[in-house]
Amino acid sequence: MLEKRDFYIGGEWTAPAAGSDFEVIDPSTEDAFAVISLGGQADTDRAVAAARDAFPGWMETPPADRIAVLERLYDVYKSRMDEMAAVISREMGAPIDMAKAQQAPAGLGHIKNFIRAARDFAFERPLGPHAPDDRILMEPVGVCGLITPWNWPMNQVTLKVIAAMAAGCTMVLKPSEIAPLSSALFAEMVDAAGFPPGVFNLVNGDGPGVGTQLSAHPDVDMISFTGSTRAGIAISKTAADTLKRVHLELGGKGANLVFADADEKAVKRGTLHCFNNTGQSCNAPTRMLVEASAYEQAVETARAVAEKMAVGPADAEGRHMGPVVSQAQFDKVQDLIQKGIDEGARLVAGGPGRPEGFNRGWFVRPTVFADVTNDMTIAREEIFGPVLSIMPFETEEEAIAIANDTPYGLTNYVQSADAARRNRVARRLRSGMVEMNGQPRGAGSPFGGMKASGNGREGGVWGIEDFLEVKAVSGWGGA
């Protein structure tokens, strides 16, 4: 059992003033391996006060000096990458090789990209030649409450924290209580990098506790939240009383449009993408729409991929799928798989229950459904597990209609050799992101969605802008 972790407030590690203990569970074994404290109102108030006290100084720190501290943080993070990967793997179940290759490096990559974006960012800019004495000043929002989930811990922590730091904001981070140890390690890195006390604060807690306290707090100027659409709605309602800015990165139900002229690896690539991180990604391509002439072959390919997918504990080396994060997540995925069967989808691979050989740990069978219709529950709800739904389409118009027939609008995917078709379809898909033919978005590309997938954008200049206010000044004197 790891030792209990304290909070990081005002540049110091400090014991909680109140709250209860919470066990952190290893998803591969169902055993507790660490204990944290869940903070109370007094802890939240202390952290917000520390951030409020630090804000004027950090706001007035020249951008070049803020960047210099971020560069030190980059070096510290890089030196502890293997340690970060090991912590993430154990707390949320990512296979260790995947944690080393994807989970931990995501944080390092975002630090690097925000440093690059901040170097070229114009915090002061002219309005235009028609108004030579007008200036636009981009100023930090203020104290930010950052609430992050468990599925990609450092990806989401760094997307918020580093952007807020670069913008000149101070902050209180509440990571998921399910996977909190990576954020504690990140706080150690922030401390080692030498940020002024109070710029970054960490308080553990759950959503109804610290999460709600931050959302309602009168001295918090902005909430940035990544998580479920249900929780995002609740946060928005709580924050409304204090008129704070709310940035939401919520769920998704991505459609992967596979046309008959797609490359031969498109279906395999899409299936593996759906199963990556055990399906626990908001931008996973969980609905595969296949042109009718290629449909049965696509179903067969997806079945073969799922049946060959190895499942194993997070600490095992090699390429395999780990467990889902918790008992609650396991139960949700099992219920939705059964609902797919009950509503008439054709079960092609996987199904209810644990994979063969497992009677412990929250392991799910890689599951593929065919003949899914867009009114079925498995096509409407975000499952957040390794479940792929395949459905046919006859025409481009029908494919677009099916893809857009969802409350969500995060990421869609297009597979076709026809460049004109790809571009045409991409323009008509109602989502914040579209990826085509397996090409990922470039470094610093904005991440975010529309509709029930949230608002705002993270990453690159867009991520920094989300933490800034726009001030218009006339009569500007001098250069």
Side-chain angles (χ1 to χ4, degrees):
M1 183 83 70
L2 295 179
E3 65 180 271
K4 193 170 177 178
R5 304 308 300 265
D6 289 334
F7 300 160
Y8 185 75
I9 299 175
E12 297 181 349
W13 291 98
T14 175
S20 57
D21 287 348
F22 183 88
E23 291 185 332
V24 183
I25 308 297
D26 184 332
S28 296
T29 65
E30 303 182 38
D31 293 328
F33 72 98
V35 176
I36 62 169
S37 292
L38 302 181
Q41 186 69 56
D43 301 300
T44 301
D45 289 345
R46 278 195 300 148
V48 172
R52 179 60 63 188
D53 289 345
F55 177 63
W58 186 243
M59 173 186 178
E60 294 169 8
T61 300
D65 293 346
R66 297 200 296 258
I67 291 169
V69 191
L70 288 173
E71 288 172 335
R72 294 200 296 270
L73 177 58
Y74 176 88
D75 292 338
V76 175
Y77 191 109
K78 187 175 182 179
S79 72
R80 303 186 73 176
M81 280 266 284
D82 284 349
E83 193 176 348
M84 180 62 78
V87 169
I88 292 174
S89 177
R90 188 158 192 200
E91 70 182 359
M92 59 76 57
I96 186 60
D97 286 358
M98 183 263 188
K100 289 180 178 180
Q102 298 180 47
Q103 288 273 8
L108 189 70
H110 289 316
I111 299 172
K112 179 179 180 180
N113 292 330
F114 278 127
I115 290 171
R116 180 192 299 121
R119 286 192 184 118
D120 298 327
F121 196 92
F123 289 93
E124 176 187 319
R125 58 192 73 169
L127 176 62
H130 68 290
D133 296 329
D134 281 40
R135 290 292 182 276
I136 303 299
L137 307 183
M138 307 294 288
E139 296 185 346
V141 169
V143 174
C144 301
L146 311 178
I147 303 173
T148 57
W150 46 260
N151 60 321
W152 288 88
M154 280 301 104
N155 177 72
Q156 284 130 340
V157 165
T158 54
L159 275 172
K160 298 182 189 304
V161 169
I162 308 304
M165 288 173 166
C169 294
T170 58
M171 66 215 68
V172 179
L173 171 66
K174 188 211 83 66
S176 169
E177 70 277 17
I178 294 175
L181 303 182
S182 52
S183 289
L185 177 56
F186 180 78
E188 292 180 10
M189 298 176 182
V190 171
D191 188 62
F195 284 85
V199 169
F200 172 86
N201 304 276
L202 170 68
V203 177
N204 286 313
D206 57 19
V210 174
T212 298
Q213 292 158 18
L214 286 172
S215 301
H217 206 290
D219 288 334
V220 172
D221 301 295
M222 174 178 171
I223 291 290
S224 181
F225 168 77
T226 298
S228 71
T229 299
R230 175 196 53 77
I233 293 169
I235 285 170
S236 297
K237 291 178 179 179
T238 303
D241 288 339
T242 49
L243 294 175
K244 56 174 57 70
R245 183 185 296 186
V246 178
H247 169 123
L248 301 173
E249 296 292 346
L250 307 177
K253 195 67 181 176
N256 186 6
L257 282 62
V258 182
F259 290 90
D261 65 346
D263 66 272
E264 62 181 11
K265 296 181 180 179
V267 173
K268 179 179 180 179
R269 183 172 63 238
T271 306
L272 290 173
H273 192 172
C274 177
F275 294 158
N276 188 45
N277 205 40
T278 319
Q280 299 170 124
S281 300
C282 55
N283 61 341
T286 54
R287 293 182 297 152
M288 183 179 286
L289 283 51
V290 184
E291 192 167 0
S293 61
Y295 179 71
E296 289 301 335
Q297 181 57 56
V299 171
E300 175 58 27
T301 299
R303 179 199 62 77
V305 171
E307 290 183 349
K308 290 179 182 177
M309 174 70 67
V311 177
D315 61 357
E317 295 182 352
R319 185 172 182 176
H320 60 276
M321 197 177 76
V324 295
V325 74
S326 66
Q327 180 74 59
Q329 193 62 26
F330 178 84
D331 291 343
K332 175 189 174 185
V333 174
Q334 294 300 314
D335 287 347
L336 285 167
I337 289 173
Q338 187 59 52
K339 190 158 288 188
I341 295 171
D342 295 343
E343 292 182 2
R346 173 164 49 116
L347 182 63
V348 173
R354 290 180 172 87
E356 186 176 350
F358 290 91
N359 59 12
R360 188 170 174 81
W362 296 308
F363 297 96
V364 176
R365 301 171 68 189
T367 297
V368 176
F369 284 104
D371 304 344
V372 176
T373 57
N374 225 28
D375 60 344
M376 292 180 179
T377 304
I378 58 172
R380 307 302 296 177
E381 294 189 14
E382 185 180 39
I383 299 173
F384 233 58
V387 181
L388 176 64
S389 298
I390 308 179
M391 56 191 81
F393 67 85
E394 295 287 346
T395 65
E396 178 181 312
E397 196 72 23
E398 183 186 11
I400 294 169
I402 295 171
N404 286 339
D405 180 20
T406 174
Y408 298 103
L410 189 58
T411 315
N412 286 310
Y413 302 81
V414 182
Q415 320 297 327
S416 173
D418 186 334
R421 172 195 278 157
R422 292 198 308 271
N423 296 348
R424 187 169 63 242
V425 171
R427 290 181 182 276
R428 296 186 60 193
L429 291 171
R430 296 289 295 162
S431 57
M433 298 169 285
V434 179
E435 297 183 11
M436 302 193 283
N437 285 356
Q439 182 172 328
R441 295 171 301 108
S445 175
F447 186 101
M450 57 182 70
K451 302 193 291 184
S453 291
N455 55 60
R457 293 295 181 269
E458 294 186 321
V461 295
W462 296 271
I464 296 174
E465 285 177 349
D466 241 29
F467 289 94
L468 294 170
E469 296 281 13
V470 180
K471 178 185 287 184
V473 181
S474 61
W476 191 263

